[in-house]
Structures are given as C-alpha cells and as structure tokens.
Amino acid sequence: MTQVAAVSADIVLHNAFVVTMDGALTVIRDGAIAVVGDRIAAVGPSADVLGAFPGAAQTLNLAGRILLPGFVNTHVHTSQQLARGIADDVDLMTWLHGRIWPYESHMTEEDSYASTLLCGIELIRSGVSQLSTGISSTV
C-alpha cells in the first residue's frame, strides 16, 4: 500500500478496480484510496486502506466500479464551446475561414465568458481534473 502520513481520512473509497496509472500500469482489484484534504493519502487493497483509516469521516463502497485518476486536457479552445455543431460538415479551411473565425470575430466579452464557463462545466463533468497551461480564448 502506498501511503503518506495521515491521522484520519476525509473519505475512503473502497471495493473498486483502482487504475493507478503508475509505471507498471497497476490495476488493484478490490482496491481503495483514502483522501485527506485535497490529497490522496493512500492507495492499495481495500482491506489495507480501510485498516489504516478506520476513523474516516466518510466511507464509500464503490461496488466494483472503476476508480481512475482525473483526465488531463492538453488542448482546449474555450471560446468554441458555444459553436459546437456549426461546422461539423465541412473541410478544415471552410471550417476555419467560413465558420469558426467569423463566429469568433462576432463574440462579445460576455459570449466568451459564457462559453468558457460552459466549457469548464463540461470538462469537470467528464472527469478532467487538470488543464494544460496553453488555454486558448478569443477575448
């Protein structure tokens, strides 16, 4: 079990297929993680993690579901969120010159803000926990 020093966990998620994404691509059947604050404090077999954190504030049985790290989005155009679907039927140059760039050139600051919020909501709902530093926006 991988563990950092902790007195009590805020939550222990157990009875899951834990996909660790470590160097060996380890998957732990009947695995668990313990979370303290905003950090993962332990990863390992359910019995070990539950034993190490018996006083967790919350314990959640995932009933065999898959537990995996958050996704990292390395390229996102937040200003194009509201434009989804307006140019799906054309080649790249028509998409850029005839649809997307004209659309973006007419966006207001409020439009860009709303598009960025919507993009953020969708990213969170789909499991994205981190964005790259190269976020692109119109305004």
Side-chain angles (χ1 to χ4, degrees), residues 21-68:
M21 299 304 292
D22 64 6
L25 299 175
T26 304
V27 175
I28 305 169
R29 280 175 115 70
D30 191 15
I33 68 165
V35 178
V36 175
D38 64 352
R39 300 279 186 234
I40 294 174
V43 176
S46 288
D48 294 350
V49 176
L50 288 166
F53 296 91
Q58 184 178 8
T59 303
L60 184 59
N61 183 337
L62 296 182
R65 291 184 177 93
I66 298 171
L67 183 61
L68 64 152

Side-chain angles (χ1 to χ4, degrees), residues 11-12 15 19 22 26-27 35 37 42 47 60 70 75 85 91 102 107 116 139:
I11 187 168
V12 172
N15 188 20
V19 180
D22 64 6
T26 304
V27 175
V35 178
L60 184 59
H75 188 115
D91 62 271
M107 288 182 78
T116 299
V139 180

Side-chain angles (χ1 to χ4, degrees), residues 55-117:
Q58 184 178 8
T59 303
L60 184 59
N61 183 337
L62 296 182
R65 291 184 177 93
I66 298 171
L67 183 61
L68 64 152
F71 298 114
V72 177
N73 186 325
T74 61
H75 188 115
V76 64
H77 294 261
T78 59
S79 63
Q80 293 176 358
Q81 186 70 24
L82 292 176
R84 183 173 289 158
I86 67 168
D88 291 344
D89 56 343
V90 297
D91 62 271
L92 175 62
M93 297 316 283
T94 303
W95 181 76
L96 288 172
H97 295 283
R99 306 275 178 90
I100 295 301
W101 289 342
Y103 165 81
E104 287 182 338
S105 72
H106 289 90
M107 288 182 78
T108 66
E109 190 171 328
E110 290 79 19
D111 295 335
S112 184
Y113 180 76
S115 186
T116 299
L117 284 178

Side-chain angles (χ1 to χ4, degrees), residues 76 78 81 84 113-129 131:
V76 64
T78 59
Q81 186 70 24
R84 183 173 289 158
Y113 180 76
S115 186
T116 299
L117 284 178
L118 182 60
C119 185
I121 291 166
E122 182 176 89
L123 291 169
I124 291 167
R125 278 192 57 101
S126 64
V128 173
S129 60
L131 295 176

